[in-house]
Amino acid sequence: MATSHPLPEGFTEIEVFGLGTVLLAEALLGFLLNGLTILSFYKIKELRTPNNLLIFSLAVADTGICINAFIAAFSSFLRYWPYGAEGCQIHGFQGFLTALSSISSCAAIAWDRYNQYCTRSKLQWSTSLSVVLFLWTFSAIWSAMPLLGWGEYNYEPLKTCCTLDYSKGDRNFISYLFLLTLFEFLIPLFIMVTAYQSMAFKFKKNGQFKFNPGLPVKTLIICWGPYSLLYGFATIQDATILSPKLRMLPAILAKTSPAINAFIYGLGNESNQVGIWQLLTGQKTEKVEVDNKTK
């Protein structure tokens, strides 16, 4: 089957297989780690709190990114996209929906932690549910725009996965990208930076560091910043002058975010650690804390 389809331009047989293997490894690891977070939230009653609902939302979004990566990995092993133009649009929408929801969930968690550690405000179920509903709906609206003609989904350089088409760099792309970047990347990033800076000041002042407040922001920038740079470059220059391998790098980095987020927000959460241990072993070693303490 593979021999009947030509290799994507700019890639060798080994490179296509290698990228497919990387995508598969990212998908498997992220799926496993976020699956533990989701199952522990579902199975352990003590973990079902308004605060942990935001972490649950992030884990669901990141699991969606892993599913997107699974499909891309399978197509890479085939060396072509087997699902047609309509499948490409669905794949692009699903990838964008889960990616934007993941970024927004990270911002929501930062806002919650700020209130928890700096203002001592307790998150209520009604607020938590409203935040999750809003961020998923808002992400779905932005993800649907390319399906309606504002922006466009098309193949990545590897031709085995789909994302926002930046190859044209026309007004349609630029206008969509500008507002998308503002509302779904810069504003969430601003929320995270200001929230974690406030927490860092608070921790330094009282000498009690609950977790590393700089890590979530650095992770967001490393995982999603390259995509923003690539899209931004496409607004002023023809992005196809860059090598296909270089243009695939943002996609590979972005799909590391589910596993990294799982370590930071799920497994790095002290109450979740106890809950996951109870889920895996059936042994309740201590009372599950519910105040979102992290290492």
Side-chain angles (χ1 to χ4, degrees), residues 3-263:
T3 56
S4 63
H5 296 276
L7 288 168
E9 183 180 354
F11 295 93
T12 65
E13 182 86 39
I14 294 178
E15 288 169 343
V16 173
F17 182 82
L19 288 173
T21 302
V22 171
L23 288 168
L24 180 61
E26 290 175 336
L28 287 172
L29 181 60
F31 196 86
L32 173 63
L33 296 178
N34 285 286
L36 288 174
T37 301
I38 292 171
L39 280 176
S40 63
F41 181 86
Y42 176 74
K43 291 287 189 180
I44 310 301
K45 181 180 179 181
E46 293 86 349
L47 292 183
R48 295 197 289 271
T49 66
N51 308 87
N52 281 335
L53 179 64
L54 301 180
I55 296 178
F56 174 80
S57 171
L58 175 62
V60 171
D62 284 341
T63 300
I65 296 176
C66 293
I67 293 173
N68 190 272
F70 270 125
I71 296 172
F74 176 73
S75 301
S76 298
F77 293 141
L78 294 179
R79 296 196 328 184
Y80 78 106
W81 179 256
Y83 307 108
E86 185 175 342
C88 180
Q89 298 303 302
I90 295 173
H91 188 252
F93 170 80
Q94 189 268 345
F96 249 57
L97 171 61
T98 52
L100 297 181
S101 298
S102 175
I103 294 171
S104 298
S105 293
C106 288
I109 293 170
W111 165 78
D112 173 50
R113 287 177 168 179
Y114 167 79
N115 286 320
Q116 182 181 349
Y117 292 114
C118 296
T119 68
R120 299 297 179 181
S121 300
K122 186 176 180 180
L123 184 64
Q124 303 297 322
W125 270 110
S126 58
T127 303
S128 182
L129 287 168
S130 297
V131 168
V132 170
L133 179 62
F134 171 78
L135 69 88
W136 276 91
T137 302
F138 198 58
S139 298
I141 292 172
W142 279 106
S143 302
M145 288 299 103
L147 301 178
L148 302 176
W150 193 21
E152 181 181 350
Y153 291 126
N154 209 334
Y155 298 108
E156 293 269 21
L158 196 60
K159 306 297 183 185
T160 59
C161 47
C162 301
T163 188
L164 182 66
D165 185 8
Y166 51 82
S167 63
K168 298 182 181 66
D170 55 12
R171 288 185 179 180
N172 182 287
F173 167 78
I174 293 173
S175 61
Y176 174 73
L177 177 67
F178 177 79
L179 293 176
L180 174 72
T181 302
L182 174 64
F183 287 108
E184 291 286 7
F185 184 72
L186 294 180
I187 290 179
L189 180 61
F190 174 77
I191 292 173
M192 292 179 67
V193 169
T194 54
Y196 285 118
Q197 281 183 344
S198 299
M199 282 181 272
F201 178 77
K202 183 79 172 182
F203 293 162
K204 186 176 181 180
K205 186 177 180 180
N206 60 27
Q208 298 178 355
F209 285 84
K210 304 294 184 180
F211 55 88
N212 181 356
L215 189 57
V217 175
K218 292 176 182 176
T219 298
L220 184 74
I221 293 174
I222 291 172
C223 291
W224 297 106
Y227 251 136
S228 298
L229 289 175
L230 176 61
Y231 288 159
F233 181 78
T235 64
I236 58 175
Q237 182 68 49
D238 182 6
T240 59
I241 66 173
L242 302 174
S243 72
K245 297 185 188 68
L246 183 60
R247 284 184 282 134
M248 274 302 300
L249 184 60
I252 298 299
L253 288 174
K255 287 177 174 59
T256 65
S257 63
I260 296 174
N261 285 341
F263 279 112

